[in-house]
Amino acid sequence: MLTESFIISISGSGKATTGTANKDGGIHIHEYQPFPVLRSSFKKSSTLPNCLAVSASHVFAAQVDKAVIHVYDRERGNQEATVPFPEKISSLALIGQYDGAGILALGTEGGRVLLWEVRCQVEPDARIMAERATTCLAVEPSCNFLLTGSADSSVHVWSISALLSFSISSSHDANQSSPLSPQRTLSNHRAGITALIVGHSPSSANVAISAARDSTCLLWDYRSGTLLHTFLLSGPALCLVLDPADRAFYAGYEDGSIQLIDFYKQHTLYRSIDNAELRATPTQPLPTDRWSLPAEIASAALCLDVSYDGTTVLSGHQNGKVYTWDITRGRYRAHFADAASSITNIRMLPPAGFPNQLSPALKTLKAVKPRYENSFTGSDMSLVGSGIPETYAFTAQLSSSVHRSSAASSAMLSFEHALTHCLFPLDLLDDGRAQLATLSSTSKSGTGRSGRARGGDEAEESEVETLRRQLRLVHAMQTAHMEHAIELGDELLRIQDADRRKRRMKKLGRLKRMRLETNRRQREMGGVVEKRPDEMDLDNGGGSGGAGASSSTEEFSGSE
């Protein structure tokens, strides 16, 4: 049976509520369906928005007013470690898949970002990102780019591979930007960034959406740095979340309402996204797509997420409540859960219980605390070592025994890899090129043979065309003969019917003449003649009976 759950974190600075939640717990895991219930809690945690990251094995929570991260072991259900950092952490994001993420990106209040490899005892790589605090982070599905939003209204796009590199090539082209500088900078906002999300597609057509306190949302092509569209909101959006199919996104406001922005509902909207000439014209969302809470429970929406099937929005609010929203009906549905303080983060977890669900190849047993040697000690933060450190060590556990897979399972894995790949896999392209080369050589070797057979083919086509014409002619003749036979049959039926009527009339005439002759003889003999009803008209008065009979007989004979 499939089970869908979500995790929330709270900020201890809010006003406590009277609910069923554990008052000592700062992080709670709730089962959403099929049975809504509180499954587990982690104590001693207080986090700000965008300061929670969840993997299959661990929960990372950056603490309020402290330069530490609490690491919780989900399997054991306890706090595993408290990891200190030189600066206060203002945002978190995991790089990698949910069940195999091994790198944690951390944004600091000083505008830096740290890349912490949780399976390695190595100093976190630090980069100066912005002049003010890094408020939000987003990682694209292919894990090639990291997007950072800051309080100075800028959004930077970074290459993750360049940020993780141990060395910088000395032969780097002077015309190119340094690997330690952002590949793109999006600076169309006029106030601090409050939320940043990236689409679910691993293809090059993926997009990013940023929200700022200037009451705007911008749709970006983050690979090229192109602004695709501008949305004018009715107020600053505190949080954003994308629909699972990337057809729409949702924004949460300070009054607790939720705004739906559907890319395909407004005809002019998706036309302007595809048309470069119309992109400069901003769009204001429809007022009917803004869903409000009842006045008695209204509170600022600090975080949002969408259910796996895309039918429900879950929102965490400043009053410590989790509310659900019906997307199909476009309205508030129900109160779902309570917390002891303001709910600052909510994350839907991937459903559990799928058949034949593969476990990750590597499992993180314990988060390894980073070391600090040269980080933050010099003014030049862009310099790193020239190679892999000697103390670099990778710690993980194989989730299953290593064995040689069968041919059938290998073929299935190869098909699934090709099906889910963002482009065409290289091995598939190599096989296609090899097959095309084989077909090309075969066609070249058969060119002479096909040329010699060309004349014979033309003769065969001419003969086939002649046979088709003859067949059409025979078919037309058969149709004409059939129509003529039908006409002859109808004529024969008419003749036979006329002949039957003529013989019947002759027979009736003979019978009448015989009766008249019999009546005449009886009169001559003085007998009484019994007239039948049909013979009453033969005698018109006394002595003229014979004459009338003779006249009738002559007329009948004449008519014959």
Side-chain angles (χ1 to χ4, degrees), residues 69-320:
I69 289 181
H70 288 181
V71 182
Y72 300 91
D73 191 319
R74 293 183 59 185
E75 184 176 353
R76 295 183 177 90
N78 59 4
Q79 183 175 345
E80 181 180 288
T82 299
V83 183
F85 288 90
E87 292 186 32
K88 293 180 182 179
I89 307 301
S90 56
S91 55
L92 294 178
L94 276 170
I95 300 175
Q97 298 295 327
Y98 167 79
D99 54 1
I103 301 173
L104 183 66
L106 305 86
T108 69
E109 290 187 352
R112 294 184 177 90
V113 69
L114 309 178
L115 298 185
W116 172 27
E117 297 184 57
V118 297
R119 297 169 179 165
C120 305
Q121 189 176 9
V122 65
E123 57 183 343
D125 199 9
R127 300 288 182 265
I128 297 177
M129 295 296 190
E131 297 179 357
R132 298 177 63 183
T134 302
T135 55
C136 46
L137 303 172
V139 181
E140 66 149 6
S142 62
C143 298
N144 290 322
F145 297 100
L146 171 67
L147 281 71
T148 63
S150 64
D152 62 1
S153 74
S154 61
V155 177
H156 298 297
V157 181
W158 302 82
S159 171
I160 294 178
S161 60
L163 294 176
L164 292 174
S165 176
F166 285 109
S167 61
I168 304 174
S169 175
S170 59
S171 61
H172 189 69
D173 189 358
N175 294 328
Q176 279 187 313
S177 60
S178 170
L180 302 185
S181 62
Q183 291 192 348
R184 300 282 184 273
T185 297
L186 316 176
S187 55
N188 291 60
H189 284 292
R190 294 171 297 174
I193 308 299
T194 57
L196 182 63
I197 53 176
V198 181
H200 301 88
S201 173
S203 69
S204 59
N206 200 15
V207 296
I209 303 173
S210 58
R213 294 195 175 276
D214 58 0
S215 301
T216 61
C217 272
L218 303 183
L219 181 67
W220 301 92
D221 180 356
Y222 59 87
R223 293 176 183 265
S224 63
T226 304
L227 175 62
L228 300 179
H229 200 70
T230 302
F231 300 95
L232 302 179
L233 304 181
S234 56
L238 302 182
C239 49
L240 298 175
V241 66
L242 260 174
D243 177 80
D246 291 352
R247 293 179 56 88
F249 70 94
Y250 306 89
Y253 291 116
E254 293 182 349
D255 62 354
S257 60
I258 305 297
Q259 178 73 61
L260 164 66
I261 297 94
D262 194 329
F263 296 139
Y264 299 93
K265 190 172 184 178
Q266 295 176 257
H267 181 66
T268 57
L269 177 56
Y270 65 83
R271 286 186 59 190
S272 62
I273 294 175
D274 296 333
N275 191 341
E277 297 179 355
L278 301 177
R279 290 174 184 171
T281 304
T283 300
Q284 189 170 6
L286 298 175
T288 55
D289 289 338
R290 184 169 179 174
W291 313 329
S292 299
L293 287 170
E296 61 272 13
I297 61 173
S299 179
L302 302 180
C303 50
L304 297 174
D305 212 337
V306 184
S307 62
Y308 179 76
D309 56 5
T311 60
T312 304
V313 173
L314 281 80
S315 59
H317 293 258
Q318 193 171 9
N319 60 1

